[in-house]
PDB file of all heavy atoms in Angstrom:
ATOM      1  N   PRO W 224     -38.709 -14.508 -67.399  1.00 94.00           N
ATOM      2  CA  PRO W 224     -38.180 -15.636 -68.198  1.00 94.00           C
ATOM      3  C   PRO W 224     -37.104 -16.436 -67.493  1.00 94.00           C
ATOM      4  O   PRO W 224     -36.810 -17.562 -67.920  1.00 94.00           O
ATOM      5  CB  PRO W 224     -37.626 -14.935 -69.450  1.00 94.00           C
ATOM      6  CG  PRO W 224     -38.292 -13.611 -69.502  1.00 94.00           C
ATOM      7  CD  PRO W 224     -38.499 -13.222 -68.086  1.00 94.00           C
ATOM      8  N   TRP W 225     -36.506 -15.896 -66.422  1.00 95.00           N
ATOM      9  CA  TRP W 225     -35.395 -16.563 -65.768  1.00 95.00           C
ATOM     10  C   TRP W 225     -35.762 -17.172 -64.426  1.00 95.00           C
ATOM     11  O   TRP W 225     -34.914 -17.772 -63.762  1.00 95.00           O
ATOM     12  CB  TRP W 225     -34.241 -15.556 -65.563  1.00 95.00           C
ATOM     13  CG  TRP W 225     -33.769 -14.916 -66.818  1.00 95.00           C
ATOM     14  CD1 TRP W 225     -34.067 -13.672 -67.261  1.00 95.00           C
ATOM     15  CD2 TRP W 225     -32.931 -15.506 -67.800  1.00 95.00           C
ATOM     16  NE1 TRP W 225     -33.461 -13.441 -68.465  1.00 95.00           N
ATOM     17  CE2 TRP W 225     -32.755 -14.549 -68.837  1.00 95.00           C
ATOM     18  CE3 TRP W 225     -32.296 -16.750 -67.939  1.00 95.00           C
ATOM     19  CZ2 TRP W 225     -31.982 -14.801 -69.949  1.00 95.00           C
ATOM     20  CZ3 TRP W 225     -31.538 -17.003 -69.059  1.00 95.00           C
ATOM     21  CH2 TRP W 225     -31.371 -16.037 -70.046  1.00 95.00           C
ATOM     22  N   LEU W 226     -37.017 -17.048 -64.013  1.00 95.00           N
ATOM     23  CA  LEU W 226     -37.408 -17.557 -62.705  1.00 95.00           C
ATOM     24  C   LEU W 226     -37.299 -19.076 -62.605  1.00 95.00           C
ATOM     25  O   LEU W 226     -37.104 -19.619 -61.505  1.00 95.00           O
ATOM     26  CB  LEU W 226     -38.847 -17.124 -62.380  1.00 95.00           C
ATOM     27  CG  LEU W 226     -39.050 -15.646 -62.070  1.00 95.00           C
ATOM     28  CD1 LEU W 226     -40.523 -15.355 -61.802  1.00 95.00           C
ATOM     29  CD2 LEU W 226     -38.197 -15.230 -60.879  1.00 95.00           C
ATOM     30  N   ALA W 227     -37.401 -19.763 -63.711  1.00 94.00           N
ATOM     31  CA  ALA W 227     -37.279 -21.218 -63.692  1.00 94.00           C
ATOM     32  C   ALA W 227     -35.873 -21.679 -63.325  1.00 94.00           C
ATOM     33  O   ALA W 227     -35.680 -22.827 -62.912  1.00 94.00           O
ATOM     34  CB  ALA W 227     -37.680 -21.801 -65.043  1.00 94.00           C
ATOM     35  N   PHE W 228     -34.906 -20.807 -63.484  1.00 95.00           N
ATOM     36  CA  PHE W 228     -33.508 -21.158 -63.192  1.00 95.00           C
ATOM     37  C   PHE W 228     -33.029 -20.518 -61.899  1.00 95.00           C
ATOM     38  O   PHE W 228     -31.827 -20.495 -61.641  1.00 95.00           O
ATOM     39  CB  PHE W 228     -32.610 -20.720 -64.354  1.00 95.00           C
ATOM     40  CG  PHE W 228     -33.149 -21.094 -65.702  1.00 95.00           C
ATOM     41  CD1 PHE W 228     -33.678 -20.120 -66.537  1.00 95.00           C
ATOM     42  CD2 PHE W 228     -33.167 -22.415 -66.111  1.00 95.00           C
ATOM     43  CE1 PHE W 228     -34.175 -20.461 -67.781  1.00 95.00           C
ATOM     44  CE2 PHE W 228     -33.670 -22.756 -67.356  1.00 95.00           C
ATOM     45  CZ  PHE W 228     -34.182 -21.787 -68.191  1.00 95.00           C
ATOM     46  N   VAL W 229     -33.960 -19.997 -61.085  1.00 96.00           N
ATOM     47  CA  VAL W 229     -33.608 -19.261 -59.866  1.00 96.00           C
ATOM     48  C   VAL W 229     -34.256 -19.948 -58.668  1.00 96.00           C
ATOM     49  O   VAL W 229     -35.415 -20.364 -58.717  1.00 96.00           O
ATOM     50  CB  VAL W 229     -34.059 -17.787 -59.961  1.00 96.00           C
ATOM     51  CG1 VAL W 229     -33.914 -17.099 -58.606  1.00 96.00           C
ATOM     52  CG2 VAL W 229     -33.267 -17.054 -61.017  1.00 96.00           C
ATOM     53  N   GLN W 230     -33.492 -20.083 -57.611  1.00 96.00           N
ATOM     54  CA  GLN W 230     -34.007 -20.560 -56.324  1.00 96.00           C
ATOM     55  C   GLN W 230     -33.593 -19.546 -55.254  1.00 96.00           C
ATOM     56  O   GLN W 230     -32.412 -19.243 -55.097  1.00 96.00           O
ATOM     57  CB  GLN W 230     -33.450 -21.951 -55.973  1.00 96.00           C
ATOM     58  CG  GLN W 230     -33.987 -22.499 -54.658  1.00 96.00           C
ATOM     59  CD  GLN W 230     -33.513 -23.899 -54.378  1.00 96.00           C
ATOM     60  OE1 GLN W 230     -32.998 -24.571 -55.270  1.00 96.00           O
ATOM     61  NE2 GLN W 230     -33.683 -24.354 -53.153  1.00 96.00           N
ATOM     62  N   VAL W 231     -34.582 -18.998 -54.528  1.00 96.00           N
ATOM     63  CA  VAL W 231     -34.339 -17.924 -53.578  1.00 96.00           C
ATOM     64  C   VAL W 231     -34.220 -18.497 -52.166  1.00 96.00           C
ATOM     65  O   VAL W 231     -35.019 -19.328 -51.756  1.00 96.00           O
ATOM     66  CB  VAL W 231     -35.469 -16.876 -53.629  1.00 96.00           C
ATOM     67  CG1 VAL W 231     -35.190 -15.741 -52.644  1.00 96.00           C
ATOM     68  CG2 VAL W 231     -35.608 -16.327 -55.046  1.00 96.00           C
ATOM     69  N   HIS W 232     -33.213 -18.030 -51.442  1.00 96.00           N
ATOM     70  CA  HIS W 232     -33.009 -18.379 -50.032  1.00 96.00           C
ATOM     71  C   HIS W 232     -33.148 -17.080 -49.250  1.00 96.00           C
ATOM     72  O   HIS W 232     -32.279 -16.209 -49.312  1.00 96.00           O
ATOM     73  CB  HIS W 232     -31.627 -19.008 -49.809  1.00 96.00           C
ATOM     74  CG  HIS W 232     -31.404 -20.263 -50.582  1.00 96.00           C
ATOM     75  ND1 HIS W 232     -31.592 -21.522 -50.038  1.00 96.00           N
ATOM     76  CD2 HIS W 232     -31.017 -20.459 -51.855  1.00 96.00           C
ATOM     77  CE1 HIS W 232     -31.323 -22.437 -50.950  1.00 96.00           C
ATOM     78  NE2 HIS W 232     -30.957 -21.821 -52.060  1.00 96.00           N
ATOM     79  N   TRP W 233     -34.250 -16.956 -48.489  1.00 95.00           N
ATOM     80  CA  TRP W 233     -34.516 -15.743 -47.726  1.00 95.00           C
ATOM     81  C   TRP W 233     -33.815 -15.787 -46.387  1.00 95.00           C
ATOM     82  O   TRP W 233     -33.936 -16.763 -45.652  1.00 95.00           O
ATOM     83  CB  TRP W 233     -36.017 -15.545 -47.530  1.00 95.00           C
ATOM     84  CG  TRP W 233     -36.815 -15.481 -48.782  1.00 95.00           C
ATOM     85  CD1 TRP W 233     -37.622 -16.436 -49.303  1.00 95.00           C
ATOM     86  CD2 TRP W 233     -36.884 -14.367 -49.688  1.00 95.00           C
ATOM     87  NE1 TRP W 233     -38.204 -16.013 -50.467  1.00 95.00           N
ATOM     88  CE2 TRP W 233     -37.768 -14.736 -50.735  1.00 95.00           C
ATOM     89  CE3 TRP W 233     -36.312 -13.095 -49.706  1.00 95.00           C
ATOM     90  CZ2 TRP W 233     -38.069 -13.890 -51.780  1.00 95.00           C
ATOM     91  CZ3 TRP W 233     -36.602 -12.256 -50.772  1.00 95.00           C
ATOM     92  CH2 TRP W 233     -37.486 -12.648 -51.783  1.00 95.00           C
ATOM     93  N   THR W 234     -33.082 -14.726 -46.050  1.00 94.00           N
ATOM     94  CA  THR W 234     -32.453 -14.657 -44.738  1.00 94.00           C
ATOM     95  C   THR W 234     -33.509 -14.377 -43.674  1.00 94.00           C
ATOM     96  O   THR W 234     -34.500 -13.681 -43.945  1.00 94.00           O
ATOM     97  CB  THR W 234     -31.377 -13.556 -44.705  1.00 94.00           C
ATOM     98  OG1 THR W 234     -31.990 -12.290 -45.016  1.00 94.00           O
ATOM     99  CG2 THR W 234     -30.268 -13.848 -45.691  1.00 94.00           C
ATOM    100  N   PRO W 235     -33.330 -14.874 -42.464  1.00 91.00           N
ATOM    101  CA  PRO W 235     -34.313 -14.610 -41.404  1.00 91.00           C
ATOM    102  C   PRO W 235     -34.317 -13.134 -41.000  1.00 91.00           C
ATOM    103  O   PRO W 235     -33.411 -12.367 -41.314  1.00 91.00           O
ATOM    104  CB  PRO W 235     -33.849 -15.504 -40.245  1.00 91.00           C
ATOM    105  CG  PRO W 235     -32.865 -16.453 -40.833  1.00 91.00           C
ATOM    106  CD  PRO W 235     -32.266 -15.785 -42.011  1.00 91.00           C
ATOM    107  N   THR W 236     -35.350 -12.756 -40.275  1.00 84.00           N
ATOM    108  CA  THR W 236     -35.430 -11.409 -39.752  1.00 84.00           C
ATOM    109  C   THR W 236     -34.305 -11.160 -38.756  1.00 84.00           C
ATOM    110  O   THR W 236     -33.966 -12.038 -37.965  1.00 84.00           O
ATOM    111  CB  THR W 236     -36.788 -11.192 -39.069  1.00 84.00           C
ATOM    112  OG1 THR W 236     -37.829 -11.551 -39.989  1.00 84.00           O
ATOM    113  CG2 THR W 236     -36.969  -9.739 -38.644  1.00 84.00           C
ATOM    114  N   HIS W 237     -33.734  -9.967 -38.817  1.00 82.00           N
ATOM    115  CA  HIS W 237     -32.624  -9.563 -37.940  1.00 82.00           C
ATOM    116  C   HIS W 237     -31.396 -10.447 -38.136  1.00 82.00           C
ATOM    117  O   HIS W 237     -30.631 -10.668 -37.192  1.00 82.00           O
ATOM    118  CB  HIS W 237     -33.034  -9.574 -36.469  1.00 82.00           C
ATOM    119  CG  HIS W 237     -34.312  -8.858 -36.176  1.00 82.00           C
ATOM    120  ND1 HIS W 237     -34.519  -7.542 -36.559  1.00 82.00           N
ATOM    121  CD2 HIS W 237     -35.443  -9.248 -35.561  1.00 82.00           C
ATOM    122  CE1 HIS W 237     -35.719  -7.167 -36.163  1.00 82.00           C
ATOM    123  NE2 HIS W 237     -36.323  -8.177 -35.571  1.00 82.00           N
ATOM    124  N   ALA W 238     -31.184 -10.966 -39.322  1.00 88.00           N
ATOM    125  CA  ALA W 238     -30.014 -11.836 -39.581  1.00 88.00           C
ATOM    126  C   ALA W 238     -29.374 -11.460 -40.909  1.00 88.00           C
ATOM    127  O   ALA W 238     -29.066 -12.343 -41.720  1.00 88.00           O
ATOM    128  CB  ALA W 238     -30.423 -13.302 -39.551  1.00 88.00           C
ATOM    129  N   SER W 239     -29.155 -10.168 -41.130  1.00 87.00           N
ATOM    130  CA  SER W 239     -28.499  -9.755 -42.365  1.00 87.00           C
ATOM    131  C   SER W 239     -27.066 -10.249 -42.437  1.00 87.00           C
ATOM    132  O   SER W 239     -26.490 -10.347 -43.524  1.00 87.00           O
ATOM    133  CB  SER W 239     -28.517  -8.235 -42.468  1.00 87.00           C
ATOM    134  OG  SER W 239     -27.855  -7.643 -41.372  1.00 87.00           O
ATOM    135  N   TRP W 240     -26.472 -10.599 -41.279  1.00 89.00           N
ATOM    136  CA  TRP W 240     -25.109 -11.112 -41.252  1.00 89.00           C
ATOM    137  C   TRP W 240     -24.971 -12.455 -41.957  1.00 89.00           C
ATOM    138  O   TRP W 240     -23.849 -12.882 -42.282  1.00 89.00           O
ATOM    139  CB  TRP W 240     -24.618 -11.239 -39.806  1.00 89.00           C
ATOM    140  CG  TRP W 240     -25.606 -11.867 -38.880  1.00 89.00           C
ATOM    141  CD1 TRP W 240     -26.546 -11.227 -38.142  1.00 89.00           C
ATOM    142  CD2 TRP W 240     -25.754 -13.266 -38.596  1.00 89.00           C
ATOM    143  NE1 TRP W 240     -27.277 -12.122 -37.404  1.00 89.00           N
ATOM    144  CE2 TRP W 240     -26.816 -13.385 -37.670  1.00 89.00           C
ATOM    145  CE3 TRP W 240     -25.096 -14.407 -39.014  1.00 89.00           C
ATOM    146  CZ2 TRP W 240     -27.222 -14.604 -37.158  1.00 89.00           C
ATOM    147  CZ3 TRP W 240     -25.504 -15.635 -38.521  1.00 89.00           C
ATOM    148  CH2 TRP W 240     -26.557 -15.720 -37.599  1.00 89.00           C
TER     149      TRP W 240
END
Side-chain angles (χ1 to χ4, degrees):
W225 303 101
L226 288 179
F228 314 107
V229 170
Q230 182 176 346
V231 181
H232 300 264
W233 302 105
T234 58
T236 307
H237 310 306
S239 59
W240 45 269

